[in-house]
Amino acid sequence: MQWQVDDVMTREVITVGVDTPVGQIAGLLDREGISAVPVTTPAGEVLGVVSQADLLAGVADGKRRKPRGKQLTSASAARAGDVMTTPALSVDAGVSLRQAARTMRSRNVRRLFVTGPQGRLLGVVSQGDLLRPYARPDAAIRREVEAVLRGRLWIRPEQVAVRVSEGTATLTGAVGRRSTAGIVTRLATAVPGVTEVVDRIGYDFDDAALARSKVDRTHPFSADPFRPGGRAA
């Protein structure tokens, strides 16, 4: 399983409209303990975002300071539409956590709005949300690694045992091919919560040279051993 934004995002999102007074927004941010709020249409389409920084800019020196992307008309702007930043940074619900994290880092933001068709707001994902899967108990991580190996490679715990301690997954057992052992390690590494993989998987046949020469025509995700002189059924 590759975790997606949809798995961790917050679905209950407080919103305001373009005509919401900035004083009301300031009180809302303070009361709810949040630093920004999306500005949406009645249909739920995201138009922009109003942050604490936007409110301060509108109150302090809006006429002289007009940051790129701001719809700032005056220092005394009274409504959300006057101070909001557009466009609001957003991601699709199906985006992976890694991709969402890269977007946050590259754009230097702490949250992203999650939007669907026609830009409708579905939720919000924060830095904390992205980190939540990595704080899971070791037992939950182990179960997911086992489920991934069983679902993707038909490998059961009796064949490859998984032990997780403080995020480090140790894999022991044996598979038919060296390439399959490598795939097992990569799949385990991709499970959220796994910080390191200790690979102690043995294999019956080293197919590295065959893989490079493309002689091996069996399924690349097969856990069955390679049979010299024949093809996999």
Side-chain angles (χ1 to χ4, degrees):
M1 170 185 175
Q2 182 182 49
W3 284 53
Q4 300 176 332
V5 167
D6 183 68
D7 298 314
V8 300
M9 71 181 187
T10 299
R11 301 177 188 276
E12 300 291 331
V13 183
I14 299 171
T15 65
V16 297
V18 291
D19 292 327
T20 303
V22 295
Q24 183 177 330
I25 297 174
L28 178 66
L29 298 182
D30 181 65
R31 183 171 63 254
E32 299 295 333
I34 55 180
S35 59
V37 63
V39 182
T40 62
T41 67
E45 179 184 359
V46 179
L47 300 176
V49 58
V50 176
S51 66
Q52 292 174 329
D54 293 323
L55 295 179
L56 288 173
V59 170
D61 57 354
K63 286 184 178 180
R64 297 187 301 275
R65 179 176 176 271
K66 186 177 182 181
R68 184 175 60 183
K70 307 279 187 184
Q71 291 187 356
L72 191 59
T73 58
S74 70
S76 58
R79 300 189 181 278
D82 299 319
V83 299
M84 68 181 182
T85 296
T86 58
L89 293 179
S90 63
V91 293
D92 184 83
V95 165
S96 70
L97 301 191
R98 292 179 185 273
Q99 186 174 342
R102 286 195 294 267
T103 300
M104 285 188 186
R105 184 173 60 182
S106 65
R107 302 302 294 271
N108 193 29
V109 295
R110 297 182 178 180
R111 77 196 67 78
L112 294 168
F113 296 112
V114 186
T115 55
Q118 288 78 51
R120 293 190 59 188
L121 182 67
L122 300 178
V124 62
V125 62
S126 67
Q127 291 178 334
D129 294 328
L130 298 183
L131 293 174
R132 192 185 312 149
Y134 295 90
R136 293 183 300 160
D138 289 335
I141 298 172
R142 174 183 56 78
R143 287 193 297 269
E144 184 168 344
V145 173
E146 291 176 344
V148 168
L149 298 184
R150 184 168 57 249
R152 296 286 295 275
L153 297 177
W154 306 284
I155 292 178
R156 302 186 64 80
E158 294 80 15
Q159 185 177 2
V160 173
V162 180
R163 181 170 57 86
V164 180
S165 177
E166 297 182 353
T168 298
T170 301
L171 310 177
T172 57
V175 294
R177 303 158 177 253
R178 180 178 180 177
S179 60
T180 301
I183 295 171
V184 169
T185 300
R186 290 195 296 272
L187 289 176
T189 301
V191 171
V194 173
T195 57
E196 182 182 1
V197 172
V198 178
D199 180 6
R200 295 176 180 169
I201 303 174
Y203 47 85
D204 300 325
F205 180 74
D206 187 348
D207 61 345
L210 290 175
R212 287 193 297 269
S213 65
K214 300 183 180 180
V215 172
D216 182 5
R217 300 299 183 182
T218 56
H219 194 286
F221 290 99
S222 173
D224 295 328
F226 176 78
R227 297 177 178 83
R231 295 185 178 182

